[in-house]
PDB file of all heavy atoms in Angstrom:
ATOM      1  N   PHE E  45      32.672 160.045   5.261  1.00 85.00           N
ATOM      2  CA  PHE E  45      32.863 161.476   5.436  1.00 85.00           C
ATOM      3  C   PHE E  45      34.304 161.737   5.872  1.00 85.00           C
ATOM      4  O   PHE E  45      34.817 161.049   6.735  1.00 85.00           O
ATOM      5  CB  PHE E  45      31.874 161.951   6.520  1.00 85.00           C
ATOM      6  CG  PHE E  45      32.017 163.382   6.908  1.00 85.00           C
ATOM      7  CD1 PHE E  45      31.388 164.369   6.162  1.00 85.00           C
ATOM      8  CD2 PHE E  45      32.774 163.753   8.010  1.00 85.00           C
ATOM      9  CE1 PHE E  45      31.507 165.711   6.512  1.00 85.00           C
ATOM     10  CE2 PHE E  45      32.901 165.090   8.369  1.00 85.00           C
ATOM     11  CZ  PHE E  45      32.262 166.059   7.614  1.00 85.00           C
ATOM     12  N   GLU E  52      34.979 169.648   3.774  1.00 91.00           N
ATOM     13  CA  GLU E  52      34.267 168.457   4.230  1.00 91.00           C
ATOM     14  C   GLU E  52      33.889 167.643   3.004  1.00 91.00           C
ATOM     15  O   GLU E  52      33.139 168.097   2.146  1.00 91.00           O
ATOM     16  CB  GLU E  52      33.020 168.873   5.025  1.00 91.00           C
ATOM     17  CG  GLU E  52      33.415 169.581   6.317  1.00 91.00           C
ATOM     18  CD  GLU E  52      32.238 170.116   7.127  1.00 91.00           C
ATOM     19  OE1 GLU E  52      31.079 169.970   6.688  1.00 91.00           O
ATOM     20  OE2 GLU E  52      32.496 170.692   8.196  1.00 91.00           O
ATOM     21  N   LYS E 118      26.222 174.458   4.141  1.00 95.00           N
ATOM     22  CA  LYS E 118      26.571 173.115   4.626  1.00 95.00           C
ATOM     23  C   LYS E 118      25.677 172.047   4.022  1.00 95.00           C
ATOM     24  O   LYS E 118      24.486 172.264   3.809  1.00 95.00           O
ATOM     25  CB  LYS E 118      26.420 173.053   6.150  1.00 95.00           C
ATOM     26  CG  LYS E 118      27.373 173.983   6.890  1.00 95.00           C
ATOM     27  CD  LYS E 118      27.255 173.823   8.398  1.00 95.00           C
ATOM     28  CE  LYS E 118      27.703 172.464   8.898  1.00 95.00           C
ATOM     29  NZ  LYS E 118      29.108 172.158   8.639  1.00 95.00           N
ATOM     30  N   LEU E 119      26.283 170.895   3.803  1.00 96.00           N
ATOM     31  CA  LEU E 119      25.500 169.745   3.336  1.00 96.00           C
ATOM     32  C   LEU E 119      24.641 169.239   4.488  1.00 96.00           C
ATOM     33  O   LEU E 119      25.117 169.119   5.614  1.00 96.00           O
ATOM     34  CB  LEU E 119      26.461 168.640   2.883  1.00 96.00           C
ATOM     35  CG  LEU E 119      25.823 167.338   2.392  1.00 96.00           C
ATOM     36  CD1 LEU E 119      25.055 167.567   1.089  1.00 96.00           C
ATOM     37  CD2 LEU E 119      26.883 166.263   2.175  1.00 96.00           C
ATOM     38  N   VAL E 120      23.382 168.950   4.207  1.00 96.00           N
ATOM     39  CA  VAL E 120      22.511 168.346   5.220  1.00 96.00           C
ATOM     40  C   VAL E 120      22.898 166.874   5.350  1.00 96.00           C
ATOM     41  O   VAL E 120      22.955 166.155   4.347  1.00 96.00           O
ATOM     42  CB  VAL E 120      21.022 168.478   4.808  1.00 96.00           C
ATOM     43  CG1 VAL E 120      20.118 167.745   5.789  1.00 96.00           C
ATOM     44  CG2 VAL E 120      20.637 169.947   4.702  1.00 96.00           C
ATOM     45  N   ASN E 121      23.180 166.438   6.571  1.00 92.00           N
ATOM     46  CA  ASN E 121      23.609 165.048   6.793  1.00 92.00           C
ATOM     47  C   ASN E 121      22.596 164.063   6.221  1.00 92.00           C
ATOM     48  O   ASN E 121      21.400 164.256   6.359  1.00 92.00           O
ATOM     49  CB  ASN E 121      23.748 164.771   8.298  1.00 92.00           C
ATOM     50  CG  ASN E 121      25.023 165.382   8.857  1.00 92.00           C
ATOM     51  OD1 ASN E 121      25.845 165.903   8.118  1.00 92.00           O
ATOM     52  ND2 ASN E 121      25.171 165.308  10.170  1.00 92.00           N
ATOM     53  N   ASN E 122      23.114 163.020   5.640  1.00 92.00           N
ATOM     54  CA  ASN E 122      22.286 161.930   5.110  1.00 92.00           C
ATOM     55  C   ASN E 122      21.296 162.371   4.034  1.00 92.00           C
ATOM     56  O   ASN E 122      20.299 161.708   3.809  1.00 92.00           O
ATOM     57  CB  ASN E 122      21.506 161.232   6.249  1.00 92.00           C
ATOM     58  CG  ASN E 122      22.444 160.723   7.314  1.00 92.00           C
ATOM     59  OD1 ASN E 122      23.498 160.154   6.997  1.00 92.00           O
ATOM     60  ND2 ASN E 122      22.107 160.946   8.558  1.00 92.00           N
TER      61      ASN E 122
HETATM   62  C1  LIG L 404      26.586 165.890  10.504  1.00 60.05           C
HETATM   63  O1  LIG L 404      27.654 164.982  10.368  1.00 60.05           O
HETATM   64  C2  LIG L 404      28.900 165.471  10.851  1.00 60.05           C
HETATM   65  C3  LIG L 404      29.970 164.471  10.507  1.00 60.05           C
HETATM   66  O2  LIG L 404      29.601 163.183  10.793  1.00 60.05           O
HETATM   67  C4  LIG L 404      28.784 165.730  12.358  1.00 60.05           C
HETATM   68  O3  LIG L 404      29.998 166.266  12.821  1.00 60.05           O
HETATM   69  C5  LIG L 404      27.658 166.725  12.593  1.00 60.05           C
HETATM   70  O4  LIG L 404      27.460 166.904  13.994  1.00 60.05           O
HETATM   71  C6  LIG L 404      26.354 166.235  11.980  1.00 60.05           C
HETATM   72  N1  LIG L 404      25.358 167.284  12.076  1.00 60.05           N
HETATM   73  C7  LIG L 404      24.128 167.059  12.526  1.00 60.05           C
HETATM   74  C8  LIG L 404      23.214 168.230  12.549  1.00 60.05           C
HETATM   75  O5  LIG L 404      23.754 165.945  12.869  1.00 60.05           O
END
Side-chain angles (χ1 to χ4, degrees):
F45 175 84
E52 294 176 359
K118 296 184 66 62
L119 179 67
V120 175
N121 284 354
N122 303 317

